[in-house]
Amino acid sequence: MLIKLRDNHEQHLKFFGGQPVEVLENFCQLTNKHLEKGTAAKAYTNAGSKLGVSPETVKNALEALIYLMVETSRYQVSEEELNVTLLALGFSEEHRQILFQHLQSNSVSKHDLRPLKLRTPHYVNLQWRLEALIMSRTQFQAAGECQVVIRLQLSSGSVCMSVSPDVLLHITETLESALAEANSRNSKKALRMAPLN
């Protein structure tokens, strides 16, 4: 399986093709530190001044390398498949060997970056009914507040609840807000990193 890279990641990874092998080795070590503790802006500035590039270039190259590591680990890409991707990016034979050795020996990429298997209940069906007190000749008091009875059927079972229209309106607004958030760029990125199965 070939690794799908975004255009910006491809551009940032091409940075390594024009650098000595030692630079790639140093960046591979930086990926471990970055994943464990994060990276301070000062580190980008120091690395950028040593390489004669901007701190932004260093940051983008490091993030693209981490993305490549994550995708390689996630899909358990073989050496041949990785070679095809790296050849297209202009990596030399030495660069490809160093990167593949790092990916094989790196416990972070092999274990901690596995796809997350989130086992959450999934929606199956929804049934509801409106219950209200109806006045009769024998009852002269005002009708009580109506209630909405909901039966939510999930893959793990069903849940029954009785709510007032005000509470139901609040639930609806909260769900609409959650759906809008799920369509945001950050949420899509998180879902790509941790697919729901």
Side-chain angles (χ1 to χ4, degrees):
M1 172 182 180
L2 298 179
I3 303 169
K4 293 179 183 176
L5 295 171
R6 296 182 193 151
D7 291 341
N8 61 337
H9 284 141
E10 286 185 16
Q11 292 302 319
H12 299 321
L13 285 169
K14 285 179 182 177
F15 164 80
F16 296 110
Q19 298 294 328
V21 175
E22 295 77 22
V23 171
L24 181 60
E25 287 177 336
N26 289 338
F27 268 79
C28 286
Q29 292 170 2
L30 274 176
T31 57
N32 292 343
K33 292 179 184 175
H34 182 82
L35 291 169
E36 289 171 11
K37 301 176 184 176
T39 305
K42 187 178 179 183
Y44 297 131
T45 306
N46 292 341
S49 63
K50 288 179 184 175
L51 297 171
V53 296
S54 70
E56 189 68 22
T57 302
V58 173
K59 181 179 181 225
N60 291 336
L62 181 64
E63 288 175 354
L65 185 59
I66 290 171
Y67 181 81
L68 178 67
M69 289 173 56
V70 169
E71 293 299 291
T72 303
S73 176
R74 180 176 169 187
Y75 295 111
Q76 298 182 2
V77 176
S78 68
E79 186 173 4
E80 294 78 23
E81 293 167 333
L82 182 62
N83 271 331
V84 172
T85 302
L86 297 178
L87 271 171
L89 295 170
F91 278 59
S92 69
E93 179 66 30
E94 282 184 300
H95 283 81
R96 294 195 307 269
Q97 285 300 321
I98 284 170
L99 192 53
F100 193 73
Q101 286 170 7
H102 177 72
L103 292 171
Q104 277 190 322
S105 64
N106 184 2
S107 60
V108 174
S109 68
K110 287 185 73 90
H111 301 291
D112 297 340
L113 296 178
R114 289 177 299 190
L116 299 175
K117 304 287 185 186
L118 301 177
R119 296 209 178 357
T120 54
H122 296 283
Y123 169 83
V124 176
N125 194 13
L126 175 74
Q127 297 174 333
W128 65 274
R129 73 171 183 259
L130 183 66
E131 292 184 346
L133 177 66
I134 300 174
M135 293 183 64
S136 69
R137 287 185 224 170
T138 58
Q139 294 178 326
F140 296 106
Q141 67 210 37
E145 188 178 290
C146 64
Q147 293 284 319
V148 180
V149 179
I150 300 171
R151 182 173 182 240
L152 181 62
Q153 194 171 350
L154 305 170
S155 56
S156 60
S158 62
V159 178
C160 292
M161 62 186 99
S162 178
V163 295
S164 68
D166 292 338
V167 173
L168 184 59
L169 180 62
H170 176 70
I171 291 171
T172 304
E173 290 170 351
T174 304
L175 288 173
E176 285 175 354
S177 173
L179 284 172
E181 178 64 28
N183 288 325
S184 71
R185 180 180 290 168
N186 289 338
S187 295
K188 287 179 180 178
K189 189 175 181 180
L191 287 171
R192 193 174 60 251
M193 300 294 280
L196 297 174
N197 290 328

